[in-house]
Amino acid sequence: MEPSDPRAPIDAEQARQLSLFRPLGYQRNSCGYCKSDNGSASYYASSVSVRPKHYEELVNRGWRRSGTLYYKQNLQRSCCPHYTMRLEASAYKPRRDQRKAINRWTKFVLGPEYIRRAAYLCPKTREEKKRRKLSFDLQDAVHGAEYSNVKRPIDPKTKKPLEPAHRFEINIEGDTVSQAKFELFRKYQTKVHKEDVSKWHTKDFKRFLCSGLKRSEPNTQEGQSRLGSWHQCYRLDGKLIAVAVLDLMPSGVSSVYIFYDPDYEHWELGKLSAMREISLAIEDGYRYYYMGYYIHSCQKMRYKGTFRPQYILDPESHTWDPLEGELATKLNEKPYVSLSRDRQRAESTSTEPNVKSVAETEEAEAEINDEEVSLFALNMPGVLTIDEVMKLDLGSWALLVHGSFVHMIDLVGWETMPIDEPQSIKGIVAELAAALGPAVVKESAVVLFD
């Protein structure tokens, strides 16, 4: 995709492959979990045009999105650090309570009369009974209650096909707005989250849950799975009862949000949707399942850790560590943990006895006013250093101006602009590059001017 000369004009085909980012900068905000004022710090960007492969790269560097807002938290300087988590779908081992939840739902959908008559009309073989007793098949379990998979033998009593108590259907459709989705969402937000009904309008719903990644249908000839942002819709007897918002990336299924009819809350639809999304990953060839951020200090988040085996992204090395064991132990002791940093410091201390202690280093970093300095002065975990950014040749980065692409070097005075001045154009662009990382910078463009 990249031209041989990085500063050559960008043609239409190359432009279509780029993701666009508008830098919003580093900000402090109140924490939505512990309610601390200015307790959460993140770097922000916005976009209405991000390709799934680029978003996957960002997720694996600690980014998430909320509608068109993309953000990477500074875990070291936030009261409730947000850790990226994922599990390898094929390795998932459902717990007893998770198996119980999906079996309860299946029994509810089918109904006792159907189950009784079906057992008589379509008896299971001895091998099937033995297999079910010895193992739990995730795909069979999540699809067992779907109307298209329900056996409907002719009942000799009625001379009609045997029907389940309820018609349960699932489909995946684009992340578009509809009246049914909006009304369900507003009911969920007002009853579950106790929000004022006047807070949400159709445009807000569209911005929040219908402004995602560029979509593409699966290409079976090229072995490519469905990509982009989608809505997985749950309908019971024709009524929409839940919508799971999903970002489908080349190697992973990322759970964005789920909203459901509060009348069905006791059926644990959040737990059921997670198992269904893990199954989707396995069936459609995605390796990983991402459940979003994990906040160890938040009890409401702890349920995510019960979907095992979970791995946590190291904020500094971008490697993955098991949530259980050493990492969990350290998270119980302090909010910010980077095992790669701990190991590096342990090695440095053993070879260089006079090296600064962890406490001394963290105390010095804490004294910096992070809203008044360049991002490069913060030592924000997972962000490129100023030396690393200078190696990227920012002058060749594409800039979208009034519908046309130019290069940063084409800006008047670009070469003399300070890179470590947060208010200069070069400083703004450099901070965005540091947060995005080299892979995304190579295949993206910046939007600075309307």
Side-chain angles (χ1 to χ4, degrees), residues 61-74:
R61 293 181 66 85
W63 286 76
R64 292 290 290 179
R65 73 172 188 88
S66 176
T68 58
L69 183 68
Y70 291 73
Y71 56 101
K72 175 180 172 64
Q73 193 192 55
N74 187 342

Side-chain angles (χ1 to χ4, degrees), residues 219-410:
N219 188 327
T220 53
Q221 292 182 340
E222 297 182 6
Q224 180 178 304
S225 301
R226 181 186 283 109
L227 296 175
S229 296
W230 301 81
H231 288 170
Q232 189 169 55
C233 300
Y234 296 59
R235 290 180 172 85
L236 190 70
D237 300 325
K239 177 187 176 184
L240 186 68
I241 64 166
V243 177
V245 184
L246 305 175
D247 285 338
L248 304 182
M249 307 176 296
S251 299
V253 174
S254 176
S255 175
V256 179
Y257 200 70
I258 181 171
F259 55 96
Y260 51 81
D261 190 327
D263 294 342
Y264 295 88
E265 188 171 15
H266 62 288
W267 292 109
E268 301 179 283
L269 292 178
K271 191 179 290 185
L272 298 181
S273 68
M275 286 185 280
R276 182 169 291 278
E277 289 152 23
I278 295 170
S279 180
L280 171 68
I282 296 170
E283 294 161 17
D284 288 4
Y286 307 98
R287 183 173 180 181
Y288 300 109
Y289 176 56
Y290 297 80
M291 292 188 76
Y293 281 138
Y294 173 75
I295 302 173
H296 192 73
S297 60
C298 178
Q299 286 298 325
K300 290 183 178 179
M301 286 275 189
R302 291 292 182 95
Y303 82 93
K304 293 185 178 183
T306 66
F307 289 83
R308 298 170 180 164
Q310 284 286 2
Y311 287 78
I312 297 294
L313 181 71
D314 188 291
E316 301 187 21
S317 66
H318 296 144
T319 53
W320 297 88
D321 298 301
L323 176 56
E324 297 178 335
E326 180 186 8
L327 180 57
T329 299
K330 290 190 173 183
L331 286 172
N332 287 333
E333 299 169 353
K334 57 182 181 177
Y336 177 73
V337 176
S338 167
L339 293 185
S340 66
R341 173 190 280 202
D342 292 347
R343 291 161 187 157
Q344 187 176 28
R345 282 177 168 170
E347 292 174 5
S348 300
T349 303
S350 63
T351 57
E352 302 175 45
N354 295 324
V355 72
K356 281 187 177 182
S357 69
V358 173
E360 289 175 324
T361 303
E362 292 180 349
E363 184 178 351
E365 291 174 347
E367 292 178 357
I368 299 174
N369 187 328
D370 54 3
E371 292 184 292
E372 296 182 356
V373 301
S374 166
L375 187 67
F376 299 112
L378 294 178
N379 296 318
M380 178 172 164
V383 167
L384 301 180
T385 65
I386 196 167
D387 290 335
E388 290 171 327
V389 170
M390 291 178 71
K391 294 177 183 178
L392 298 179
D393 183 18
L394 292 183
S396 66
W397 202 1
L399 174 66
L400 182 63
V401 181
H402 301 308
S404 300
F405 288 97
V406 299
H407 295 287
M408 296 295 175
I409 194 69
D410 298 325

